[in-house]
Amino acid sequence: MQKVYLDHGATTRLNDEVFEEMKPYLTEIYGNPSSIHSFGREARKAIDEAREKVAAAIGAEPKEIIFTSGATEADNIAIRGVARAQQKKGNHIITSAVEHHAVLDMCKAMKKEGFDVTILPVDEYGLVSVADVEAAITEQTILVTIMMANNEVGTVMPIAEIGQICENRGITFHTDAVQAIGNLPVNVNDLHVDLLSLSAHKFYGPKGIGVLYVRKGTKVNPYNFGGAQERKIRPGTENIPGVVGLGKAIELAVTDMEAKTARVKAMRDKLKDGILAIDATKLNGHPEQRLPGNLNVSVEYVEGESLILSLDLKGIAVSSGSACTSGSLDPSHVLMAMGLDHQTAHGSLRFTLGVDNTDQEMDYVLDVLPEIVTRLRSMSPVYACKK
Ligand SMILES: *Cc1c(COP(=O)(O)O)cnc(C)c1O
């Protein structure tokens, strides 16, 4: 049976070149980078080179790059680290209702510690308004954290404008750019960000390794204690194969980005047109201001889970707006924040395309999906009544 992977928003396949680059660091080159002998120096050199690649990819300086265990940790360090480091200055944090749980849950944890948290609403397309951010700022505001592109609906936020406002007001600004890198230009100076999170496994790198960019002079408290690694903000012996893999992966991600994303976008648009031709379907997220590989649609009168399982039986891997993290059947917080009703949110499907997908695969999905929808709807009393 044909296998089609359309869940790149969840994770991606490790690129072969990236794997080749990592291999020696899983075997022959095993020194501890903190050791001063040749074994250690060899490992240290690999980390330094990877740090330079990351810095070059996002317009930063190498010393502003901190390696973490992934974006969940990077988001957590950014929020808790800034909140605790700057609490003498103020106690107010601003975020949005559509953030990844790594941001939202950490903001909620900060609220329990006594911080005041404003969760901004979004419009029907999942966009945060720049004016809302500006209006929410108070004398107490120390941190604004808004994602660059949404992982569920693909909406791209006005990060440069929000960053400019924060810069003017002297407020630390963090963005989760996990879904953006490799899809959109990401330059920390153009975006006016002080902190930025990335995760290698979202751009064809290994799992369990990420980056927190910390602008020089930004006050961030350490996350863990126990060593001098990663500017003491995230100590512990480095994940060298991971770091090397991330360095190679980010270099590849930003190379020929326009050509790669144009191809992905063309496939996505073909899939979109085909799916929206099915009766009672609707696009979720912004019509234009969205990630090239993201397609989120609601198929009315059908459960997203039933669709996923039926597609899976045909070898097609997608995800839905509900049950994505917790295994619960709560509808997605993102779709709910965009004002979708429960039923429409429950019938949502997320297709996230990647560089390895082909036109033929889109044809296959469009061949299979309408039949599945018809079959599932034939069992739905609500759909029968509607007709
Ligand atoms: C995947 C993802 C994360 C979490 O990254 P991990 O490295 O898996 O912890 C955070 N934010 C966004 C937007 C994501 O898509």
Side-chain angles (χ1 to χ4, degrees):
M1 184 181 52
Q2 182 164 11
K3 286 274 209 177
V4 183
Y5 186 75
L6 295 172
D7 203 10
H8 292 83
T11 196
T12 59
R13 178 183 184 277
L14 186 69
N15 176 290
D16 293 332
E17 272 182 73
V18 172
F19 181 49
E20 285 307 318
E21 195 106 346
M22 290 169 69
K23 263 188 196 165
Y25 297 92
L26 289 156
T27 51
E28 303 104 69
I29 308 174
Y30 56 84
N32 187 322
S34 299
S35 305
I36 56 174
H37 47 62
S38 67
F39 291 79
R41 289 199 309 272
E42 210 178 358
R44 169 63 55 204
K45 183 163 168 278
I47 294 181
D48 289 346
E49 283 171 8
R51 206 185 299 282
E52 277 165 25
K53 286 178 186 170
V54 177
I58 63 172
E61 288 174 32
K63 58 178 177 296
E64 297 175 312
I65 303 302
I66 289 176
F67 291 113
T68 67
S69 69
T72 299
E73 192 180 66
D75 287 342
N76 277 225
I77 297 175
I79 295 162
R80 199 174 74 184
V82 168
R84 288 185 179 170
Q86 302 189 25
Q87 58 189 334
K88 284 213 180 71
K89 209 176 131 198
N91 74 337
H92 183 221
I93 299 168
I94 298 172
T95 187
S96 88
V98 297
E99 297 300 308
H100 190 275
H101 282 293
V103 167
L104 273 181
D105 291 357
M106 188 40 113
C107 285
K108 285 174 190 159
M110 290 298 97
K111 200 168 170 168
K112 285 213 177 101
E113 284 192 15
F115 289 88
D116 198 6
V117 179
T118 298
I119 301 177
L120 295 174
V122 294
D123 69 8
E124 60 183 307
Y125 302 121
L127 269 180
V128 168
S129 131
V130 179
D132 281 354
V133 175
E134 196 155 27
I137 293 173
T138 71
E139 291 291 294
Q140 287 291 316
T141 309
I142 49 172
L143 174 68
V144 175
T145 171
I146 309 270
M147 71 200 321
M148 188 161 173
N150 186 269
N151 47 304
E152 289 189 33
V153 296
T155 300
V156 178
M157 303 290 192
I159 291 306
E161 285 99 315
I162 296 170
Q164 185 65 68
I165 289 167
C166 293
E167 190 180 299
N168 295 347
R169 305 283 293 260
I171 297 164
T172 300
F173 180 42
H174 166 250
T175 193
D176 175 331
V178 171
Q179 297 284 336
I181 191 85
N183 288 311
L184 305 165
V186 175
N187 178 293
V188 293
N189 297 317
D190 294 347
L191 294 172
H192 306 276
V193 296
D194 301 303
L195 302 120
L196 180 142
S197 308
L198 299 174
S199 175
H201 75 96
K202 301 292 175 77
F203 52 88
Y204 310 96
K207 292 167 181 63
I209 186 81
V211 162
L212 179 65
Y213 156 78
V214 181
R215 186 179 291 280
K216 207 169 34 190
T218 305
K219 291 198 175 61
V220 183
N221 272 14
Y223 193 69
N224 292 331
F225 296 87
Q229 296 95 343
E230 303 307 302
R231 284 166 53 192
K232 286 192 176 173
I233 291 175
R234 202 277 187 183
T237 301
E238 297 88 340
N239 169 2
I240 300 154
V243 165
V244 168
L246 186 149
K248 183 65 184 175
I250 202 166
E251 189 177 63
L252 294 174
V254 300
T255 304
D256 295 330
M257 187 180 79
E258 270 178 43
K260 283 185 287 191
T261 53
R263 204 182 70 80
V264 168
K265 184 172 178 292
M267 287 189 288
R268 191 274 314 273
D269 288 340
K270 173 179 180 159
L271 194 61
K272 181 182 77 177
D273 294 344
I275 293 175
L276 293 181
I278 301 173
D279 178 43
T281 52
K282 136 179 201 307
L283 179 72
N284 295 318
H286 201 281
E288 291 102 35
Q289 215 171 306
R290 69 185 301 137
L291 291 171
N294 176 293
L295 174 63
N296 190 308
V297 288
S298 282
V299 182
E300 305 272 4
Y301 314 107
V302 192
E303 288 285 324
E305 273 64 37
S306 313
L307 281 168
I308 291 181
L309 294 175
S310 300
L311 285 167
D312 189 42
L313 289 173
K314 298 283 185 186
I316 301 165
V318 303
S319 68
S320 82
S322 53
C324 75
T325 42
S326 54
S328 78
L329 281 173
D330 288 342
S332 133
H333 69 286
V334 175
L335 297 177
M336 296 313 283
M338 288 161 58
L340 268 72
D341 59 63
H342 270 252
Q343 172 137 14
T344 310
H346 269 306
S348 76
L349 275 187
R350 181 186 73 168
F351 301 82
T352 39
L353 284 63
V355 292
D356 298 326
N357 287 126
T358 64
D359 271 314
Q360 186 275 332
E361 290 176 336
M362 303 307 119
D363 291 333
Y364 176 60
V365 174
L366 291 175
D367 194 31
V368 164
L369 184 63
E371 287 169 22
I372 292 173
V373 173
T374 306
R375 183 171 51 78
L376 292 174
R377 279 180 178 166
S378 72
M379 299 185 281
S380 157
V382 192
Y383 188 65
C385 289
K386 178 235 172 198
K387 289 181 100 181

